[in-house]
Amino acid sequence: MDEIEYVWSVLGGDAALTARVARAARPEVLEARLPVRALASACVGACALAAAELAARRAASGGVPAVRVDDGAVAAAFTSERHLRIGGREPVSFAPLSRLWRTADGWVRTHANYPHHRARLLAALGLARDTEDARAVDAVGSLLAGLPARSVEETVYAAGGAAVALRTPEEWAASEQGRAVAGRPLVERGVLDASPARTFAPVPPSAGALLPAAGLRVLDLTRVIAGPVATRTLALLGADVLRVDPPGLPELPDQHVDTGFGKRSATLDLTSDQAAFEELLGAADVVVTGYRPGSLDRFGLSPRALAARRPGLVVARLSAWGAYGPWAGRRGFDSLVQVGTGIAALEGTADRPGALPAQALDHGTGYLLAAGVLRALAEQSRHGGSRYVEVALARTAAWLSAGPAPDGASGAGRPHGTGGSAGSASADTGDTGGAGGTGDAGGPSTLGTGSGARRVRAAGEAGGPGASPWLRERESPLGRLRYALPPVRFEGGPTDWERAPGPWGADAARWV
């Protein structure tokens, strides 16, 4: 069983359909000690196959369209934040206090891209919240050099911040959270009630691009990268995606642009605007959440509570560490999960931890979540029932770094290795990977240029000039954008987003 077959089996798909998938392998991209390229292509391939399956069902065309996975397109998409340009400007990636630090007994990684996490990190260490960045870096470095890594982890977590001590794969596997994660499926799926089967409006195959999610309304309650990648993919496939954020908690501007294609963005205070939220929920087909497990329950946003108020709903949930075990309520980001699960140790050297060549846990988990939603919709149309889908960055990490998958799928192991050298992270920068590889080896076989996009050349950026076949430029309300094309491709399907991202929170919190 190869990687796409394994993921497809976890998603409950018909094994015979994997014959519809063809892959253009490019060994030079996403090089690492761990099999990042294989994982990335499997996640994208399974998502594309789920889209093709749903498209065939809605078009009543008989056969499932052929799927093509190009490793070059996948690599460009998995490093999309590096390729983004807004009016020619390079994006801001990691803040000065988001980095690896030496401690008295090892290493710790902090995440302080968001202002509130920066403030909490400084407060946890007894530093003034308004300390200027350069002085803060020096002060934090001096303090952490004299403290045990796990003491820092617990102190910062208790203050509401984000920090994780470096662990080896063996240490993570032996931990209570590591054991809890390893015992769960890669994608958790289930039925919440006995709602009637979903009836889809037919999508004529002759009406332009075949959009399997056309007419569906997706309420996007996610942040950062993984969740927004999932909902960005559903928007590509025709869904009306409305991202809703708390008004006092803006997304990082460049991150919002990179993951905002195809969507609208609104703000809503769930404490004071509950009626407005219920109106949105009452017309939604899918709700996707990306906050810490349990943090939304007080608003009635658990899967069962949502389905009780909106029977027939698909509820998709994403978390960093999983909704189980002692770390279920902890904050987490891709870079922190790499450090905590042993990936950084595997990708590093004797002198310092390393990192994957992309934020592959974020991107891969995002495509897994989108694939789970698409499969849930297809199953609803046959068997009914409100559905839930759940994924976690730490579970994706376990698949990447562990041996044979524990899901019970016969012959399913982790993706095969790609060889090559590790992309190491500097101890004194916020980098989570080396330049990485996105070489073209001849370019993609078929690529559209829809939505007014044009092909451009990407020279001298992280990822190398080989990414250019999978980059486009277009105008937007935020200026001229250069961006990575979506890697999810199937015959007759969309090749680009219809809508460019707009300003964060600029749209009304209502369906159109």
PDB file of all heavy atoms in Angstrom, residues 341-365:
ATOM      1  N   THR A 341       7.774  16.773  19.238  1.00  0.00           N
ATOM      2  CA  THR A 341       7.582  15.376  18.840  1.00  0.00           C
ATOM      3  C   THR A 341       8.858  14.684  18.386  1.00  0.00           C
ATOM      4  O   THR A 341       8.825  13.513  18.019  1.00  0.00           O
ATOM      5  CB  THR A 341       6.551  15.284  17.697  1.00  0.00           C
ATOM      6  OG1 THR A 341       7.037  16.031  16.564  1.00  0.00           O
ATOM      7  CG2 THR A 341       5.198  15.827  18.130  1.00  0.00           C
ATOM      8  N   GLY A 342       9.989  15.387  18.396  1.00  0.00           N
ATOM      9  CA  GLY A 342      11.253  14.772  18.014  1.00  0.00           C
ATOM     10  C   GLY A 342      11.682  15.018  16.590  1.00  0.00           C
ATOM     11  O   GLY A 342      12.785  14.617  16.194  1.00  0.00           O
ATOM     12  N   ILE A 343      10.835  15.669  15.797  1.00  0.00           N
ATOM     13  CA  ILE A 343      11.201  15.934  14.409  1.00  0.00           C
ATOM     14  C   ILE A 343      12.413  16.851  14.331  1.00  0.00           C
ATOM     15  O   ILE A 343      13.338  16.630  13.531  1.00  0.00           O
ATOM     16  CB  ILE A 343      10.001  16.526  13.641  1.00  0.00           C
ATOM     17  CG1 ILE A 343       8.950  15.444  13.403  1.00  0.00           C
ATOM     18  CG2 ILE A 343      10.440  17.147  12.316  1.00  0.00           C
ATOM     19  CD1 ILE A 343       7.673  15.948  12.781  1.00  0.00           C
ATOM     20  N   ALA A 344      12.438  17.893  15.163  1.00  0.00           N
ATOM     21  CA  ALA A 344      13.567  18.818  15.145  1.00  0.00           C
ATOM     22  C   ALA A 344      14.869  18.112  15.509  1.00  0.00           C
ATOM     23  O   ALA A 344      15.940  18.435  14.978  1.00  0.00           O
ATOM     24  CB  ALA A 344      13.308  19.981  16.102  1.00  0.00           C
ATOM     25  N   ALA A 345      14.794  17.146  16.415  1.00  0.00           N
ATOM     26  CA  ALA A 345      15.989  16.378  16.764  1.00  0.00           C
ATOM     27  C   ALA A 345      16.435  15.500  15.596  1.00  0.00           C
ATOM     28  O   ALA A 345      17.632  15.409  15.287  1.00  0.00           O
ATOM     29  CB  ALA A 345      15.716  15.524  18.000  1.00  0.00           C
ATOM     30  N   LEU A 346      15.482  14.868  14.923  1.00  0.00           N
ATOM     31  CA  LEU A 346      15.812  14.021  13.784  1.00  0.00           C
ATOM     32  C   LEU A 346      16.416  14.818  12.638  1.00  0.00           C
ATOM     33  O   LEU A 346      17.320  14.346  11.936  1.00  0.00           O
ATOM     34  CB  LEU A 346      14.554  13.295  13.288  1.00  0.00           C
ATOM     35  CG  LEU A 346      14.039  12.142  14.148  1.00  0.00           C
ATOM     36  CD1 LEU A 346      12.668  11.706  13.648  1.00  0.00           C
ATOM     37  CD2 LEU A 346      15.009  10.980  14.116  1.00  0.00           C
ATOM     38  N   GLU A 347      15.919  16.026  12.425  1.00  0.00           N
ATOM     39  CA  GLU A 347      16.377  16.837  11.304  1.00  0.00           C
ATOM     40  C   GLU A 347      17.603  17.689  11.643  1.00  0.00           C
ATOM     41  O   GLU A 347      18.112  18.393  10.790  1.00  0.00           O
ATOM     42  CB  GLU A 347      15.237  17.749  10.824  1.00  0.00           C
ATOM     43  CG  GLU A 347      14.097  17.022  10.150  1.00  0.00           C
ATOM     44  CD  GLU A 347      14.469  16.430   8.793  1.00  0.00           C
ATOM     45  OE1 GLU A 347      15.484  16.860   8.214  1.00  0.00           O
ATOM     46  OE2 GLU A 347      13.746  15.535   8.330  1.00  0.00           O
ATOM     47  N   GLY A 348      18.076  17.631  12.878  1.00  0.00           N
ATOM     48  CA  GLY A 348      19.182  18.469  13.297  1.00  0.00           C
ATOM     49  C   GLY A 348      20.514  17.762  13.267  1.00  0.00           C
ATOM     50  O   GLY A 348      20.700  16.714  12.641  1.00  0.00           O
ATOM     51  N   THR A 349      21.466  18.338  13.966  1.00  0.00           N
ATOM     52  CA  THR A 349      22.812  17.794  14.093  1.00  0.00           C
ATOM     53  C   THR A 349      23.109  17.606  15.569  1.00  0.00           C
ATOM     54  O   THR A 349      22.271  17.885  16.428  1.00  0.00           O
ATOM     55  CB  THR A 349      23.831  18.766  13.487  1.00  0.00           C
ATOM     56  OG1 THR A 349      23.869  19.968  14.292  1.00  0.00           O
ATOM     57  CG2 THR A 349      23.456  19.140  12.050  1.00  0.00           C
ATOM     58  N   ALA A 350      24.314  17.164  15.853  1.00  0.00           N
ATOM     59  CA  ALA A 350      24.704  17.019  17.252  1.00  0.00           C
ATOM     60  C   ALA A 350      24.766  18.360  17.957  1.00  0.00           C
ATOM     61  O   ALA A 350      24.674  18.425  19.187  1.00  0.00           O
ATOM     62  CB  ALA A 350      26.052  16.311  17.330  1.00  0.00           C
ATOM     63  N   ASP A 351      24.923  19.429  17.197  1.00  0.00           N
ATOM     64  CA  ASP A 351      25.095  20.756  17.782  1.00  0.00           C
ATOM     65  C   ASP A 351      23.803  21.537  17.958  1.00  0.00           C
ATOM     66  O   ASP A 351      23.706  22.393  18.840  1.00  0.00           O
ATOM     67  CB  ASP A 351      26.051  21.589  16.919  1.00  0.00           C
ATOM     68  CG  ASP A 351      27.437  20.982  16.856  1.00  0.00           C
ATOM     69  OD1 ASP A 351      27.863  20.393  17.868  1.00  0.00           O
ATOM     70  OD2 ASP A 351      28.072  21.082  15.800  1.00  0.00           O
ATOM     71  N   ARG A 352      22.830  21.288  17.113  1.00  0.00           N
ATOM     72  CA  ARG A 352      21.604  22.078  17.202  1.00  0.00           C
ATOM     73  C   ARG A 352      20.437  21.335  16.561  1.00  0.00           C
ATOM     74  O   ARG A 352      20.638  20.503  15.674  1.00  0.00           O
ATOM     75  CB  ARG A 352      21.783  23.426  16.510  1.00  0.00           C
ATOM     76  CG  ARG A 352      22.011  23.321  15.008  1.00  0.00           C
ATOM     77  CD  ARG A 352      21.933  24.679  14.320  1.00  0.00           C
ATOM     78  NE  ARG A 352      22.808  25.637  14.933  1.00  0.00           N
ATOM     79  CZ  ARG A 352      23.456  26.602  14.263  1.00  0.00           C
ATOM     80  NH1 ARG A 352      23.320  26.678  12.952  1.00  0.00           N
ATOM     81  NH2 ARG A 352      24.209  27.468  14.893  1.00  0.00           N
ATOM     82  N   PRO A 353      19.209  21.646  16.983  1.00  0.00           N
ATOM     83  CA  PRO A 353      18.027  21.052  16.338  1.00  0.00           C
ATOM     84  C   PRO A 353      17.867  21.558  14.918  1.00  0.00           C
ATOM     85  O   PRO A 353      18.407  22.602  14.548  1.00  0.00           O
ATOM     86  CB  PRO A 353      16.865  21.530  17.222  1.00  0.00           C
ATOM     87  CG  PRO A 353      17.499  22.006  18.488  1.00  0.00           C
ATOM     88  CD  PRO A 353      18.857  22.504  18.115  1.00  0.00           C
ATOM     89  N   GLY A 354      17.128  20.828  14.124  1.00  0.00           N
ATOM     90  CA  GLY A 354      16.851  21.232  12.749  1.00  0.00           C
ATOM     91  C   GLY A 354      15.366  21.480  12.546  1.00  0.00           C
ATOM     92  O   GLY A 354      14.608  21.651  13.494  1.00  0.00           O
ATOM     93  N   ALA A 355      14.962  21.486  11.294  1.00  0.00           N
ATOM     94  CA  ALA A 355      13.555  21.718  10.954  1.00  0.00           C
ATOM     95  C   ALA A 355      13.259  21.130   9.599  1.00  0.00           C
ATOM     96  O   ALA A 355      14.161  20.873   8.795  1.00  0.00           O
ATOM     97  CB  ALA A 355      13.244  23.218  10.959  1.00  0.00           C
ATOM     98  N   LEU A 356      11.995  20.915   9.337  1.00  0.00           N
ATOM     99  CA  LEU A 356      11.564  20.452   8.021  1.00  0.00           C
ATOM    100  C   LEU A 356      11.736  21.574   7.005  1.00  0.00           C
ATOM    101  O   LEU A 356      11.772  22.749   7.368  1.00  0.00           O
ATOM    102  CB  LEU A 356      10.103  20.012   8.083  1.00  0.00           C
ATOM    103  CG  LEU A 356       9.793  18.880   9.067  1.00  0.00           C
ATOM    104  CD1 LEU A 356       8.292  18.604   9.086  1.00  0.00           C
ATOM    105  CD2 LEU A 356      10.569  17.618   8.706  1.00  0.00           C
ATOM    106  N   PRO A 357      11.811  21.248   5.720  1.00  0.00           N
ATOM    107  CA  PRO A 357      11.996  22.276   4.687  1.00  0.00           C
ATOM    108  C   PRO A 357      10.742  23.091   4.404  1.00  0.00           C
ATOM    109  O   PRO A 357      10.762  23.993   3.563  1.00  0.00           O
ATOM    110  CB  PRO A 357      12.407  21.460   3.454  1.00  0.00           C
ATOM    111  CG  PRO A 357      11.764  20.129   3.672  1.00  0.00           C
ATOM    112  CD  PRO A 357      11.845  19.893   5.151  1.00  0.00           C
ATOM    113  N   ALA A 358       9.662  22.781   5.077  1.00  0.00           N
ATOM    114  CA  ALA A 358       8.405  23.533   4.947  1.00  0.00           C
ATOM    115  C   ALA A 358       7.640  23.337   6.243  1.00  0.00           C
ATOM    116  O   ALA A 358       7.970  22.462   7.052  1.00  0.00           O
ATOM    117  CB  ALA A 358       7.584  23.016   3.767  1.00  0.00           C
ATOM    118  N   GLN A 359       6.628  24.155   6.442  1.00  0.00           N
ATOM    119  CA  GLN A 359       5.723  23.922   7.575  1.00  0.00           C
ATOM    120  C   GLN A 359       4.743  22.823   7.160  1.00  0.00           C
ATOM    121  O   GLN A 359       3.539  23.030   6.992  1.00  0.00           O
ATOM    122  CB  GLN A 359       5.037  25.223   7.972  1.00  0.00           C
ATOM    123  CG  GLN A 359       6.035  26.264   8.483  1.00  0.00           C
ATOM    124  CD  GLN A 359       5.368  27.451   9.128  1.00  0.00           C
ATOM    125  OE1 GLN A 359       4.871  27.383  10.238  1.00  0.00           O
ATOM    126  NE2 GLN A 359       5.371  28.573   8.418  1.00  0.00           N
ATOM    127  N   ALA A 360       5.324  21.637   6.990  1.00  0.00           N
ATOM    128  CA  ALA A 360       4.604  20.529   6.378  1.00  0.00           C
ATOM    129  C   ALA A 360       3.506  19.974   7.266  1.00  0.00           C
ATOM    130  O   ALA A 360       2.529  19.411   6.761  1.00  0.00           O
ATOM    131  CB  ALA A 360       5.587  19.418   6.012  1.00  0.00           C
ATOM    132  N   LEU A 361       3.652  20.098   8.578  1.00  0.00           N
ATOM    133  CA  LEU A 361       2.584  19.627   9.462  1.00  0.00           C
ATOM    134  C   LEU A 361       1.347  20.492   9.288  1.00  0.00           C
ATOM    135  O   LEU A 361       0.218  19.986   9.232  1.00  0.00           O
ATOM    136  CB  LEU A 361       3.053  19.645  10.917  1.00  0.00           C
ATOM    137  CG  LEU A 361       4.347  18.876  11.216  1.00  0.00           C
ATOM    138  CD1 LEU A 361       4.677  18.962  12.700  1.00  0.00           C
ATOM    139  CD2 LEU A 361       4.232  17.427  10.764  1.00  0.00           C
ATOM    140  N   ASP A 362       1.540  21.801   9.203  1.00  0.00           N
ATOM    141  CA  ASP A 362       0.426  22.713   8.957  1.00  0.00           C
ATOM    142  C   ASP A 362      -0.240  22.426   7.623  1.00  0.00           C
ATOM    143  O   ASP A 362      -1.449  22.188   7.543  1.00  0.00           O
ATOM    144  CB  ASP A 362       0.925  24.159   8.959  1.00  0.00           C
ATOM    145  CG  ASP A 362       0.747  24.852  10.301  1.00  0.00           C
ATOM    146  OD1 ASP A 362      -0.156  24.470  11.055  1.00  0.00           O
ATOM    147  OD2 ASP A 362       1.514  25.783  10.584  1.00  0.00           O
ATOM    148  N   HIS A 363       0.537  22.482   6.565  1.00  0.00           N
ATOM    149  CA  HIS A 363      -0.044  22.335   5.224  1.00  0.00           C
ATOM    150  C   HIS A 363      -0.624  20.938   5.022  1.00  0.00           C
ATOM    151  O   HIS A 363      -1.746  20.779   4.519  1.00  0.00           O
ATOM    152  CB  HIS A 363       0.999  22.655   4.165  1.00  0.00           C
ATOM    153  CG  HIS A 363       1.333  24.100   4.064  1.00  0.00           C
ATOM    154  ND1 HIS A 363       0.644  24.976   3.255  1.00  0.00           N
ATOM    155  CD2 HIS A 363       2.289  24.840   4.686  1.00  0.00           C
ATOM    156  CE1 HIS A 363       1.158  26.197   3.375  1.00  0.00           C
ATOM    157  NE2 HIS A 363       2.148  26.139   4.233  1.00  0.00           N
ATOM    158  N   GLY A 364       0.135  19.902   5.415  1.00  0.00           N
ATOM    159  CA  GLY A 364      -0.368  18.544   5.231  1.00  0.00           C
ATOM    160  C   GLY A 364      -1.651  18.295   5.994  1.00  0.00           C
ATOM    161  O   GLY A 364      -2.606  17.718   5.473  1.00  0.00           O
ATOM    162  N   THR A 365      -1.699  18.749   7.241  1.00  0.00           N
ATOM    163  CA  THR A 365      -2.910  18.560   8.046  1.00  0.00           C
ATOM    164  C   THR A 365      -4.079  19.342   7.460  1.00  0.00           C
ATOM    165  O   THR A 365      -5.229  18.887   7.511  1.00  0.00           O
ATOM    166  CB  THR A 365      -2.635  18.980   9.495  1.00  0.00           C
ATOM    167  OG1 THR A 365      -1.494  18.267   9.990  1.00  0.00           O
ATOM    168  CG2 THR A 365      -3.826  18.687  10.386  1.00  0.00           C
TER     169      THR A 365
END
